[in-house]
Amino acid sequence: MASSEWRVANEWQQTARRIKPLDIPLLLTTLLLMGAGLAILYSATYRWAPELFRRQLLWLMLGLTGMAAMAVINPAVWARHWKWLYALNLLMLLLVDLIGAERKGAQRWLELPGGFQVQPSEFAKLLLILTLASWLTQTRVSVRTPRGFLLSLLHAALPALLVFKQPDLGTSIVLGALWFGMLYLAGVPLRWLTLTALAAILAFGAMWHLNLLKDYQKARLVSFINPEADPQQSGYHILQARIAIGSGQLTGKGYLHGTQKNLRYIPEQHTDFIFVVVGEEGGFLGAVGFLALYGLFLYRIWRVMVGAQDECYRLMAGGILVFFLFHLLTNVGMTMGLFPVVGIPLPFVSLGGSMLITACFAVGLPLAMRLREQPFRI
């Protein structure tokens, strides 16, 4: 009997040692962001489409399950099988091109049984982080050489081009930002990255003049410079968002009482422009509080990155940090008219199952790293 009790106690001690490194602040800030996101989304949809909120709850439960699974799986598993993950990424994006569902002039979704749709381009962001970090740490070609640098660019360019073809300019920009941030963390000379960015700008200009961009994409960029030039069409989003956020003033109009939102003057107020709900109903103080919570969340991921003992872990965590930071800055920026409208959602807040599940999986990765802080062998 004593021997059996000793074994049980020993198992509990081993379990406690395993759980001890869990990043509780990261987990708590994630759960708080999820709760805030549900509250904001409910306010944005309860009057006209309450079923969207219920659907988001279902996606969130799936996302939490995925986050827990990612937290208990050793990240070395993803590093060892990065080639299969990369092939899966390209395959899903190719399937979208072949049999994808079309909505609002874009072919970005795959139909699932039960009437559900998934957007593989959202999963492509996390898959690029996993595969690029693994490639950078396993390749025998140094990324600090021209050949290695160009190969890393090709690694990101293939999925980015498939996403751009859908067309999805915003997500392809995210993939480019992930590549840029992770290459910088890998120690690539900044001048190489700067020259690449300049080349991308020149290429974008060429696509503009060659009419490779859609008309609505051009209109969004023009309205960013001068939204008053077309206040009823391309500039409408930005102008109405400014009115709504400005009307919130210091303390806001109160939860569920946003007039611009309730009258549905804000297009896509449940997806790309959902931060308008925060600004109108919470005011300046509510927006600052929300951004402060997001900042604490990003800080915890940064702590995981700088504390990683393995280079692959560090690059994975760095990619996750760039992922969330770029989405936050771009989404809030375009809502306030600081960036062009490119259709980038706000993680944990905007409606969308694929984005929510991707964000949950992304958080599970640094949680798994904290549980296994010792370097691994590939």
Side-chain angles (χ1 to χ4, degrees):
M1 186 68 176
S3 177
S4 177
E5 292 176 352
W6 180 85
R7 286 197 300 270
V8 171
N10 186 51
E11 290 176 359
W12 274 106
Q13 289 176 359
Q14 292 179 356
T15 303
R17 285 195 296 268
R18 181 180 179 82
I19 296 176
K20 186 177 180 180
L22 182 65
D23 195 328
I24 299 299
L26 175 57
L27 181 60
L28 287 179
T29 52
T30 301
L31 295 177
L32 287 173
L33 277 176
M34 291 176 177
L38 287 176
I40 296 166
L41 181 64
Y42 176 80
S43 178
T45 59
Y46 80 102
R47 279 178 173 263
W48 57 279
E51 71 278 1
L52 296 180
F53 177 78
R54 293 191 291 269
R55 188 186 306 172
Q56 189 80 344
L57 281 175
L58 174 61
W59 289 121
L60 180 60
M61 288 186 287
L62 293 174
L64 286 170
T65 303
M67 185 173 72
M70 287 290 289
V72 299
I73 296 175
N74 193 329
V77 173
W78 314 118
R80 293 190 184 102
H81 300 93
W82 72 267
K83 293 180 181 178
W84 291 103
L85 293 177
Y86 190 74
L88 174 64
N89 194 9
L90 296 182
L91 176 61
M92 289 193 301
L93 295 175
L94 284 171
L95 286 176
V96 171
D97 185 49
L98 296 174
I99 60 172
E102 184 175 340
R103 289 191 306 181
K104 298 181 180 180
Q107 189 169 323
R108 305 174 184 172
W109 296 269
L110 290 177
E111 297 279 1
L112 296 180
F116 291 100
Q117 292 182 335
V118 295
Q119 190 172 349
S121 59
E122 295 294 347
F123 303 126
K125 302 170 186 176
L126 180 59
L127 289 172
L128 179 62
I129 293 171
L130 294 172
T131 58
L132 184 56
S134 304
W135 183 86
L136 289 172
T137 52
Q138 295 182 45
T139 181
R140 295 181 179 180
V141 181
S142 174
V143 76
R144 297 179 181 87
T145 63
R147 180 170 179 266
F149 179 78
L150 292 175
L151 286 175
S152 73
L153 180 59
L154 180 64
H155 186 105
L158 290 178
L161 290 173
L162 289 172
V163 170
F164 181 79
K165 189 177 181 296
Q166 294 178 0
D168 190 347
L169 177 61
T171 301
S172 58
I173 292 175
V174 173
L175 296 177
L178 290 172
W179 172 84
F180 189 98
M182 293 178 68
L183 266 289
Y184 176 77
L185 292 173
V188 169
L190 184 59
R191 65 180 182 277
W192 292 7
L193 296 172
T194 303
L195 289 173
T196 305
L198 292 175
I201 294 173
L202 293 175
F204 186 83
M207 288 189 295
W208 181 290
H209 289 290
L210 294 173
N211 293 321
L212 297 178
L213 297 175
K214 301 293 183 180
D215 290 339
Y216 75 89
Q217 293 173 333
K218 291 183 177 181
R220 286 178 175 180
L221 294 173
V222 172
S223 65
F224 163 67
I225 300 173
N226 183 18
E228 289 81 5
D230 190 8
Q232 298 300 321
Q233 295 294 329
S234 60
Y236 185 80
H237 294 69
I238 297 176
L239 293 175
Q240 292 299 324
R242 287 178 180 175
I243 293 171
I245 293 176
S247 66
Q249 299 184 15
L250 182 64
T251 58
K253 298 177 180 178
Y255 185 58
L256 304 180
H257 293 93
T259 52
Q260 295 289 109
K261 177 215 68 179
N262 288 338
L263 294 173
R264 296 197 65 190
Y265 285 129
I266 313 298
E268 308 300 333
Q269 64 184 25
H270 58 301
T271 53
D272 298 340
F273 278 77
I274 199 165
F275 187 74
V276 171
V277 180
V278 181
E280 185 181 22
E281 297 187 344
F284 176 78
L285 295 179
V288 170
F290 174 80
L291 293 175
L293 176 60
Y294 229 113
L296 181 59
F297 166 76
L298 294 173
Y299 169 72
R300 295 309 308 180
I301 298 178
W302 177 81
R303 287 289 302 271
V304 175
M305 181 188 73
V306 298
Q309 300 181 41
D310 189 277
E311 179 67 5
C312 190
Y313 280 2
R314 188 179 72 87
L315 292 176
M316 285 182 181
I320 299 298
L321 179 62
V322 173
F323 167 77
F324 283 111
L325 180 61
F326 188 82
H327 275 80
L328 175 66
L329 294 178
T330 307
N331 181 273
V332 174
M334 72 182 190
T335 298
M336 300 175 67
L338 301 177
F339 298 119
V341 178
V342 289
I344 294 180
L346 185 58
F348 302 121
V349 185
S350 295
L351 177 73
S354 299
M355 180 68 232
L356 182 58
I357 291 176
T358 299
C360 290
F361 273 62
V363 174
L365 194 62
L367 289 175
M369 294 175 190
R370 288 300 302 270
L371 288 171
R372 298 168 181 84
E373 293 183 325
Q374 296 300 319
F376 63 87
R377 292 184 178 179
I378 298 175

